[in-house]
């Protein structure tokens, strides 16, 4: 699973990737303190964005792969 943030200026940034065989991998500038990812098995992931501010206004997208 991949979580992306697209800012109002259309910049698309990867926030975190998560796999069934390893821990969540956060990109520079992002952390679990803000973007919490809980894998609930192989087919279900809960993503919580904590304490949003106007600075974080964006579209958020998830992508998945079944490799």
């Amino acid at each position: 699973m991949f979580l992306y943030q697209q800012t109002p200026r259309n910049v698309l940034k990867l926030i975190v990737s998560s796999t069934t065989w390893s821990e969540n991998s956060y990109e520079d500038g992002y952390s679990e303190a803000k973007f919490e990812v809980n894998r609930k098995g192989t087919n279900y992931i809960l993503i919580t964005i904590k304490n949003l501010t106007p600075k974080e206004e964006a579209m958020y997208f998830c992508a998945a792969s079944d490799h």
Side-chain angles (χ1 to χ4, degrees):
M1 185 283 309
F2 304 93
L3 177 63
Y4 293 92
Q5 178 188 55
Q6 185 175 19
T7 65
R9 295 181 183 207
N10 290 322
V11 176
L12 190 63
K13 297 178 183 179
L14 177 62
I15 296 173
V16 60
S17 58
S18 177
T19 64
T20 56
W21 60 87
S22 67
E23 293 191 21
N24 300 332
S25 176
Y26 288 86
E27 297 297 306
D28 288 341
Y30 299 99
S31 71
E32 186 174 10
K34 177 63 84 171
F35 299 93
E36 183 179 19
V37 176
N38 290 304
R39 185 172 284 280
K40 306 287 186 180
T42 58
N43 295 322
Y44 181 78
I45 295 175
L46 176 64
I47 300 168
T48 305
I49 304 173
K50 301 176 183 178
N51 303 316
L52 282 174
T53 65
K55 168 181 133 177
E56 294 149 341
E57 178 183 351
M59 296 281 291
Y60 293 88
F61 299 93
C62 289
S65 173
D66 61 355
H67 286 277

